[in-house]
Amino acid sequence: MQFCLRLGAIDDAVGIASVQVTTWRNAYKDIIDSGFLTNFSIERATEIQRGRIGSDGAHRIVATVNGQIVGYAVCNLNETGTEPFRGDWFLFALYVLPDFQGMGIGKALLSGVIQEGKARGFVRLVFGVFSANDPSKAFYKRNGAVFIEELPFQLDGKSYPTDYCEIVIES
Ligand SMILES: CC(C)(COP(=O)(O)OP(=O)(O)OC[C@H]1O[C@@H](n2cnc3c(N)ncnc32)[C@H](O)[C@@H]1OP(=O)(O)O)[C@@H](O)C(=O)NCCC(=O)NCCS
């Protein structure tokens, strides 16, 4: 299946939110609080995305198939996020709709994130992945990620063990 990558913009808020909610409900159903997942609607996610896109300075890449957004990545300089990684080039989101996983889209998005970091002079990409998210940890490992340390990640008042990892950006 052919897919395209392009930069995400404010008009993509619904498409991005739709991928986020659908992917979270699928990938996180046994990981994060089910009440939170049930209440996290596409409408609510769209509202949040609209507030962020264009104002947070992040680099957003969307993957499309026949014009439909099927995946996206968000990366940025980590200014206020997880403490030990302030100043790092940070991957804040990488999601591909379940029906489109395993086709190289995640790898292409990750590569775009790494290339953008390289263009900005960073020597590593850092990210967090829920410690219980074994398939995604395997994806990242396959793509060169190395574990740094486990730290708690707070979401909706709950704490989830999270593996922080790095991918070296080759010069
Ligand atoms: C993780 C995710 C982004 C990967 O995207 P994807 O499009 O499915 O992965 P790709 O098809 O690009 O796979 C790229 C490579 O990783 C490998 N890979 C992908 N998933 C894998 C897995 N679960 N275990 C082992 N290897 C895996 C592929 O075999 C491929 O290897 P190759 O380069 O040798 O061919 C996607 O599956 C996803 O959105 N998962 C659910 C949400 C999630 O957990 N996101 C990460 C949040 S931190």
Side-chain angles (χ1 to χ4, degrees), residues 11-110:
D11 287 349
D12 298 320
V14 180
I16 288 174
S18 174
V19 171
Q20 182 186 21
V21 170
T22 306
T23 310
W24 280 31
R25 284 184 180 161
N26 183 272
Y28 296 160
K29 60 180 181 299
D30 298 324
I31 297 177
I32 63 179
D33 183 71
S34 59
F36 172 80
L37 284 181
T38 307
N39 292 331
F40 190 46
S41 64
I42 293 177
E43 291 71 27
R44 176 74 190 117
T46 301
E47 210 179 297
I48 295 169
Q49 294 292 346
R50 280 216 179 95
R52 288 182 184 158
I53 301 173
S55 67
D56 62 6
H59 185 76
R60 275 183 183 74
I61 311 171
V62 296
T64 63
V65 171
N66 297 326
Q68 181 202 349
I69 296 180
V70 299
Y72 73 97
V74 181
C75 50
N76 202 355
L77 168 68
N78 179 27
E79 285 182 300
T80 56
T82 309
E83 173 65 59
F85 309 114
R86 299 256 167 97
D88 272 306
W89 186 236
F90 204 89
L91 176 65
F92 288 96
L94 176 60
Y95 300 109
V96 176
L97 282 176
D99 286 350
F100 294 86
Q101 290 173 9
M103 299 176 183
I105 297 174
K107 185 177 182 168
L109 287 166
L110 184 61

